[in-house]
Amino acid sequence: MMYYNEPIEVAVLDTGLNNHYGHIPTCDNSYSFTSHQYKIGEDKLNHGTAVSSVLHQYVTGNVIGNVSNLNWEAVAANKISESPNYCQSIKKINFNSVEAGLNSFNQAYVQIKASKTRYVNISSSGFATNSAEKKHLKDLLDLGVTIVVAAGNEGSDIDVYKVFPASYDERIIVVGTYERNLSLNNFYKNSEIAKTRYSKHSNYGKVVDVWGPGESVYAHKNTGILDVFTGTSFAAPAYTGKLIKEEIERKERWKLKLLNKNLREL
């Protein structure tokens, strides 16, 4: 169901968010499974902030290219102006151990099922499978939630060497990374890109649905400045952001169509 008068909510399951410039809109139901109270400035692992930054770039359409000759902090600050009708529900996962991670992922899924979340971004993968996690993800997919996950960075065929959550359900959108010299704004289906264009680190196989930018992409560090990041962890939120941007545009077209209809009836 599309909630036309409410922000599009995307759950970002990662290491938290240091939102130094306040430019990334966060939802009220953000939560930390490490301290049981979400606080801005807790991304000590310097991963979730970059993931949220990439996602926001692709929602707004302000994708940062080569800024090596610019003041990076000024570029970051200039991104504050555009905040479309969406918010990120930050779910700070406890990555202290595999068991702690799975437990907090499963608690996050329970929260998400009770919310109006439209999208879920998971920029992590592993070889451990968990029946509860599989069930939670199936429930979310059955509810119509779009789940986007990273393919992983082992450079392996994950049709053979399965990773999770990518391999749980064919409805999960799995995103791999293409080489840096392709456009940062392009995404390719598996059939549209030659294997020679995959990033060397990216997992591959028929389970990968989309190939996106994930080599030397610019994103915010947990200190607030921009830096260069590489991995399928950043291709996934790029694609999630693209999907949200397209939904926002559909909502705006629908609102305009409804307005024009009402005006004609006056």
Side-chain angles (χ1 to χ4, degrees):
M1 180 176 180
M2 188 179 291
Y3 298 91
Y4 287 103
N5 296 318
E6 299 179 8
I8 297 171
E9 185 174 306
V10 51
V12 180
L13 282 61
D14 218 286
T15 63
L17 169 64
N18 291 38
N19 201 7
H20 284 275
Y21 295 102
H23 67 300
I24 296 175
T26 55
C27 310
D28 292 337
N29 59 1
S30 295
Y31 192 84
S32 171
F33 297 96
T34 59
S35 64
H36 301 292
Q37 183 179 2
Y38 177 71
K39 297 177 181 177
I40 294 294
E42 292 186 337
D43 179 20
K44 296 179 181 179
L45 297 180
N46 196 30
H47 190 272
T49 298
V51 167
S52 288
S53 173
V54 171
L55 196 156
H56 187 65
Q57 290 177 49
Y58 280 83
V59 172
T60 61
N62 290 324
V63 179
I64 303 171
N66 185 356
V67 294
S68 59
N69 295 322
L70 300 176
N71 181 315
W72 286 11
E73 292 194 33
V75 171
N78 287 338
K79 299 302 173 185
I80 297 174
S81 57
E82 291 190 39
S83 291
N85 195 26
Y86 95 108
C87 66
Q88 296 188 24
S89 177
I90 307 299
K91 307 297 184 185
K92 186 176 191 294
I93 302 300
N94 185 345
F95 285 102
N96 288 336
S97 68
V98 173
E99 181 180 5
L102 285 171
N103 285 340
S104 52
F105 269 113
N106 285 327
Q107 291 176 66
Y109 299 139
V110 172
Q111 286 189 359
I112 293 167
K113 281 191 280 189
S115 69
K116 293 181 179 179
T117 298
R118 292 279 296 111
Y119 297 87
V120 174
N121 187 92
I122 304 174
S123 287
S124 60
S125 66
F127 297 104
T129 181
N130 180 272
S131 58
E133 180 178 43
K134 182 177 182 180
K135 175 64 166 57
H136 285 310
L137 290 172
K138 180 182 182 301
D139 291 345
L140 288 170
L141 291 163
D142 290 345
L143 289 169
V145 176
T146 299
I147 300 174
V148 181
V149 307
N153 302 312
E154 291 78 27
S156 300
D157 183 346
I158 54 176
D159 293 336
V160 179
Y161 304 100
K162 295 186 182 299
V163 295
F164 301 93
S167 299
Y168 278 133
D169 193 299
E170 63 181 11
R171 292 174 292 175
I172 294 173
I173 300 173
V174 182
V175 186
T177 301
Y178 56 64
E179 61 185 13
R180 179 66 176 91
N181 60 358
L182 295 176
S183 170
L184 288 172
N185 292 303
N186 288 345
F187 296 88
Y188 302 92
K189 295 180 180 179
N190 229 337
S191 59
E192 297 174 335
I193 185 170
K195 187 175 180 180
T196 55
R197 307 306 295 272
Y198 302 169
S199 297
K200 291 181 180 179
H201 66 264
S202 180
N203 287 342
Y204 58 91
K206 293 180 181 178
V207 71
V208 178
D209 299 290
V210 180
W211 296 88
E215 277 194 12
S216 300
V217 297
Y218 290 99
H220 295 90
K221 295 176 65 174
N222 56 5
T223 57
I225 66 169
L226 288 168
D227 205 347
V228 178
F229 293 83
T230 291
T232 59
S233 287
F234 310 104
Y239 192 68
T240 303
K242 172 183 179 292
L243 294 177
I244 294 171
K245 182 175 186 291
E246 291 173 348
E247 181 167 337
I248 290 171
E249 290 170 347
R250 287 195 298 272
K251 289 173 67 174
E252 292 304 313
R253 288 196 297 270
W254 181 87
K255 290 178 182 177
L256 182 60
K257 182 177 180 180
L258 183 62
L259 176 62
N260 289 335
K261 179 177 181 295
N262 291 337
L263 288 175
R264 287 195 300 269
E265 292 175 355
L266 289 178

